[in-house]
Amino acid sequence: MAEWLDEIENAALRMQLVLDICRVLKSNACQRIDFHYMSIHVNGAGFAAVAGALMDNAQGKKGVAAAFGDLPTQAAASYVSGTNTLTVPPGFRIKSVLDKHMVVHECVHAMQDILEGSRPMRMVVAPRTTLRVDNEGAAWVAAALYLLYESGMPDPSSKAPFVAAQEIAMRIKDWPGVGVAARDVARMRATLRAIPAYRHLRGRARTIADVISPVPRNPTRAIRRPPRQRHRPDRPR
């Protein structure tokens, strides 16, 4: 009886977590995020797709699972494409803007898993097979933009990846569809690769995403060239 009640309680907590994450992803601040980072396009439609995948899984369908569990050292949350699972610490609740910042970061990884995995793997061309370091960089920039849009304040952390992402976010803020400059991407790559916890991002390691969303009826139409980098024009004086 006690185990049965625990199972019900845990299921209720997971459902509440899914609803809280979806609320963040559908918020005005999150939907305003729209930028290109190399071959990656992070935008409101992508976050809405993650929210839909979370709800699908919660209803017993194929999608993204939200779970409580143990995490790697120094990790506040994680997303694993192999299991399509976003994991947070036991007892975690979204309470502060920094909690939401963390959720947005991990959901960018889920977004890339959905977008890359929506084609048959044999048909994923090299430019669309994203470098892991760029997947991570895009997540940091998206989370930094979320903070700016949600609170109007920059990230208070002085740690290197927070600072690097914040500098990029300040430059592309309020320019929908803008491309992050190559020099900023290079700087973010160097910043991330210098961190011991991100040693797996060194070299040319690529993100290999599996299939979460259904394969399109005509897969060849899903293959497009990566968007050209679009840089914001100079602001009028």
Side-chain angles (χ1 to χ4, degrees):
M1 183 66 174
E3 293 180 359
W4 181 67
L5 290 175
D6 286 343
E7 186 176 339
I8 292 177
E9 183 179 2
N10 290 335
L13 289 173
R14 285 195 300 272
M15 190 65 208
Q16 186 60 55
L17 176 63
V18 168
L19 294 174
D20 288 345
I21 293 174
C22 289
R23 194 172 295 113
V24 172
L25 299 181
K26 293 180 179 180
S27 68
N28 181 59
C30 212
Q31 290 297 303
R32 287 178 65 188
I33 298 171
D34 184 2
F35 67 95
H36 290 276
Y37 191 102
M38 300 303 288
S39 66
I40 300 169
H41 186 191
V42 180
N43 64 358
F47 286 118
V50 176
L54 283 162
M55 290 302 299
D56 282 348
N57 181 271
Q59 295 168 8
K61 305 174 186 176
K62 191 172 185 180
V64 174
F68 298 99
D70 296 330
L71 295 164
T73 305
Q74 297 182 335
S78 72
Y79 176 78
V80 178
S81 64
T83 59
N84 307 327
T85 303
L86 193 163
T87 303
V88 297
F92 172 81
R93 291 293 302 272
I94 299 176
K95 297 178 180 179
S96 69
V97 69
L98 292 180
D99 292 337
K100 297 174 183 178
H101 168 281
M102 177 189 69
V103 164
V104 170
H105 179 118
E106 297 304 331
C107 285
V108 171
H109 298 319
M111 183 192 305
Q112 291 310 300
D113 200 12
I114 292 171
L115 297 179
E116 292 278 3
S118 62
R119 317 148 172 62
M121 288 307 299
R122 62 185 174 82
M123 302 188 75
V124 175
V125 293
R128 289 293 304 163
T129 308
T130 310
L131 291 180
R132 288 184 182 180
V133 68
D134 292 338
N135 190 325
E136 195 65 39
W140 278 99
V141 173
L145 275 173
Y146 176 81
L147 276 184
L148 288 174
Y149 290 147
E150 176 67 14
S151 68
M153 299 296 291
D155 195 307
S157 176
S158 60
K159 294 182 179 179
F162 289 91
V163 173
Q166 192 65 50
E167 290 175 354
I168 295 173
M170 292 293 289
R171 279 193 281 274
I172 67 175
K173 177 178 176 286
D174 297 325
W175 291 87
V178 69
V180 175
R183 63 179 178 276
D184 288 331
V185 172
R187 189 176 301 117
M188 178 60 83
R189 285 176 177 175
T191 298
L192 294 174
R193 286 168 172 162
I195 299 172
Y198 284 142
R199 58 183 177 276
H200 61 287
L201 303 180
R202 295 168 187 169
R204 302 291 293 176
R206 294 184 180 276
T207 294
I208 303 298
D210 57 355
V211 176
I212 293 178
S213 56
V215 175
R217 291 182 181 179
N218 184 357
T220 58
R221 295 185 61 188
I223 299 177
R224 298 183 295 272
R225 291 180 179 275
R228 295 181 63 183
Q229 294 294 301
R230 291 183 289 167
H231 302 289
R232 63 180 177 85
D234 294 334
R235 294 177 183 271
R237 295 184 181 279

